[in-house]
């Protein structure tokens, strides 16, 4: 039997672990409606297509939603989302659908491509042509890297890439940065002389993991907040990077180093991002046996841990009830980031700009 005290603790937990109040972001970012309007009817395929100032405005709108969730329940009234997930998902599908529902919209959900004409050989272009008639926005997760771009050629409504094979997962990276800025809102303020940029360790395989690929692209938009990115992977991995991945970070002005020794790096890291799953073809591969984070890991006392989840052996549950746990906040915050993005894409930003 669950005691009343236990239930109260669990309900309070998002505020105890990993949830600086989002209102701090409202204070450090000034609202700019024109930048939010620039997302109207835009496809979101890659982090490369996003602009830093637009991202900051999205984080502000997300903080506005998170600060006062009950205030905004109608911005998407009358709009229909087509949620097409052809690969397993807990967080991305449910948080997109939760975001849309919470803002008053309606949803059509496809969780199996074989329930559509694709099973009869219909092309993605023709499916996209039909989607134009049925909805106002598409969120697509597909196992193939090129599925989103195949659909954009026929779509006249905007689409969000919710993970395409080993390529990208842009809204995950938005949620990662939103979490970082809630943790330390001063990163977004004009930097004073004692400003300290952060050292981020990324445990994962950049060439194989879409979350890591999109995160690194996202960090390249914010070089001023990063002192160093330390990429940590097993030395048995023969091709950890795709051409251009390291160059993009370095050209942005970020110092990048590589390590195969997690515990040697941990005492110097402010942020530890870990992932061990790569979706390859119709299944997944795990890289989680070598590097494990637990409450016994030599973390800085104030270091935070991020993980896109789902987790495996690499992230011990002993960390869940510690102040290092910002991965649950990261997953929770994704709802508000997605609310912000969807509102702008379907031309409803005017219903929330200048509203306090
Ligand atoms: N972070 C993430 O993409 O999780 P899901 O696979 O559960 O959507």
């Amino acid at each position: 039997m669950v005691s009343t005290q236990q239930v109260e603790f669990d309900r309070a937990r998002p505020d105890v672990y990993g949830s600086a109040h989002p209102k701090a972001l409202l204070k450090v970012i000034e609202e700019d409606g024109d930048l939010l309007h620039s997302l109207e009817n835009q496809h979101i395929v890659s982090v490369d297509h996003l602009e830093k100032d637009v991202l900051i405005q999205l984080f502000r709108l997300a903080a506005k939603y998170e600060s006062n969730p009950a205030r905004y329940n109608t911005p998407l009234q009358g709009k229909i989302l087509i949620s097409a997930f052809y690969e397993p998902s807990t967080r991305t599908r449910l948080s997109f659908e939760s975001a849309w529902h919470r803002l008053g919209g309606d949803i059509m959900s496809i969780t199996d491509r074989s329930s559509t004409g694709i099973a009869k050989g219909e092309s993605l272009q023709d499916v996209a042509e039909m989607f134009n008639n049925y909805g106002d926005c598409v969120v697509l997760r597909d196992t193939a890297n090129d599925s989103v771009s195949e659909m954009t050629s026929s779509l006249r409504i905007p689409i969000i890439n919710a993970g395409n094979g080993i390529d990208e997962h842009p809204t995950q990276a938005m949620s990662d940065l939103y979490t970082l800025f809630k943790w330390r809102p001063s990163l977004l303020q004009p930097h004073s002389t004692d400003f300290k940029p952060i050292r981020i360790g990324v445990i994962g395989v950049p060439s194989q993991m879409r979350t890591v690929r999109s995160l690194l692209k996202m960090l390249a938009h914010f070089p001023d907040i990063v002192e160093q990115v330390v990429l940590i992977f097993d030395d048995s991995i023969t091709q950890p990077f795709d051409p251009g991945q390291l160059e993009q970070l370095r050209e942005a002005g970020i110092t990048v180093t590589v390590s195969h020794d997690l515990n040697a790096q941990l005492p110097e890291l402010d942020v530890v991002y870990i992932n061990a799953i790569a979706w390859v073809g119709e299944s997944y591969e795990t890289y989680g046996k070598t590097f494990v984070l637990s409450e016994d890991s030599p973390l800085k006392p104030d270091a935070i841990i991020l993980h896109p989840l789902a987790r495996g052996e690499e992230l011990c549950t002993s960390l869940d009830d510690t102040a290092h746990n910002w991965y649950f906040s990261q997953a929770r915050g994704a709802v508000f980031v997605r609310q912000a993005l969807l509102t702008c894409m379907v031309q409803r930003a005017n219903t929330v700009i200048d509203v306090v």
Side-chain angles (χ1 to χ4, degrees):
M1 200 171 108
V2 179
S3 71
T4 310
Q5 194 182 358
Q6 179 66 39
V7 170
E8 277 169 8
F9 173 77
D10 286 347
R11 280 199 187 128
R13 199 156 112 173
D15 300 324
V16 175
Y17 298 114
S19 193
H21 204 283
K23 273 193 177 145
L25 286 191
L26 301 180
K27 292 199 181 110
V28 300
I29 309 167
E30 203 170 317
E31 189 171 67
D32 183 329
D34 289 343
L35 288 172
L36 292 174
H37 284 305
S38 73
L39 287 163
E40 287 178 0
N41 237 11
Q42 297 299 309
H43 300 310
I44 304 295
V45 180
S46 164
V47 172
D48 282 338
H49 305 147
L50 299 164
E51 286 174 24
K52 176 180 178 176
D53 289 342
V54 175
L55 286 163
I56 291 172
Q57 286 300 314
L58 276 177
F59 300 146
R60 189 186 194 283
L61 181 53
K64 196 162 161 175
Y65 281 138
E66 187 170 6
S67 301
N68 196 355
R71 169 78 178 78
Y72 303 97
N73 48 22
T74 56
L76 299 182
Q77 217 165 47
K79 297 280 188 183
I80 297 172
L81 178 71
I82 300 173
S83 166
F85 277 71
Y86 305 146
E87 186 210 286
S89 168
T90 304
R91 280 146 293 278
T92 314
R93 182 167 79 86
L94 296 179
S95 65
F96 264 116
E97 296 192 3
S98 174
W100 195 271
H101 279 301
R102 285 171 192 274
L103 297 178
D106 297 304
I107 290 177
M108 294 186 298
S109 194
I110 309 165
T111 55
D112 182 352
R113 65 158 78 78
S114 67
S115 69
T116 73
I118 296 169
K120 296 182 272 189
E122 190 171 20
S123 70
L124 285 177
Q125 286 92 336
D126 279 0
V127 172
E129 184 59 45
M130 299 305 110
F131 280 2
N132 291 322
N133 305 314
Y134 308 143
D136 300 290
C137 185
V138 182
V139 176
L140 176 71
R141 171 171 290 187
D142 201 322
T143 50
N145 291 15
D146 51 4
S147 53
V148 191
S149 50
E150 276 179 38
M151 294 197 87
T152 54
S153 60
S154 303
L155 277 173
R156 295 183 296 283
I157 56 174
I159 186 169
I160 297 175
N161 174 11
N164 57 333
I166 62 168
D167 185 32
E168 278 214 54
H169 195 350
T171 59
Q172 176 64 51
M174 288 180 198
S175 305
D176 301 342
L177 266 281
Y178 179 58
T179 314
L180 268 190
F181 291 132
K182 278 192 295 179
W183 164 64
R184 201 166 278 186
S186 60
L187 292 171
L188 284 172
Q189 282 178 308
H191 302 334
S192 58
T193 45
D194 58 353
F195 175 77
K196 257 191 83 57
I198 53 177
R199 290 169 58 92
I200 305 182
V202 179
I203 306 155
V205 186
S207 64
Q208 295 300 304
M209 296 174 181
R210 61 190 175 213
T211 53
V212 173
R213 188 189 304 278
S214 288
L215 172 66
L216 298 183
K217 287 177 180 291
M218 188 61 83
L219 292 175
H221 284 305
F222 293 90
D224 56 306
I225 68 164
V226 182
E227 182 189 328
Q228 187 179 11
V229 174
V230 184
L231 296 160
I232 303 161
F233 49 85
D234 194 290
D235 61 3
S236 66
I237 291 167
T238 50
Q239 200 206 326
F241 303 108
D242 277 342
Q245 280 190 296
L246 285 175
E247 291 79 358
Q248 185 176 28
L249 285 165
R250 289 184 173 140
E251 279 164 20
I254 294 176
T255 302
V256 187
T257 55
V258 165
S259 173
H260 307 304
D261 186 345
L262 174 63
N263 283 352
Q265 298 298 327
L266 284 179
E268 304 300 325
L269 298 174
D270 302 300
V271 177
V272 183
Y273 181 103
I274 185 165
N275 182 38
I277 288 180
W279 193 272
V280 181
E282 296 299 320
S283 186
Y284 68 90
E285 293 176 2
T286 56
Y287 295 80
K289 299 247 187 289
T290 317
F291 302 121
V292 176
L293 288 175
S294 77
E295 62 179 345
D296 298 324
S297 297
L299 291 153
K300 276 173 82 167
D302 59 350
I304 65 166
I305 298 173
L306 301 179
H307 192 312
L309 307 175
R311 76 167 135 198
E313 293 168 73
E314 74 284 354
L315 181 62
C316 184
T317 54
S318 66
L319 283 159
D320 290 0
D321 290 336
T322 72
H324 299 300
N325 174 2
W326 278 68
Y327 37 91
F328 288 164
S329 175
Q330 183 186 5
R332 178 176 182 273
V335 176
F336 305 105
V337 169
R338 287 170 176 143
Q339 281 186 333
L341 180 63
L342 292 164
T343 303
C344 297
M345 289 173 69
V346 300
Q347 304 173 55
R348 288 287 172 87
N350 58 312
T351 64
V352 291
I353 291 168
D354 290 333
V355 177
V356 286

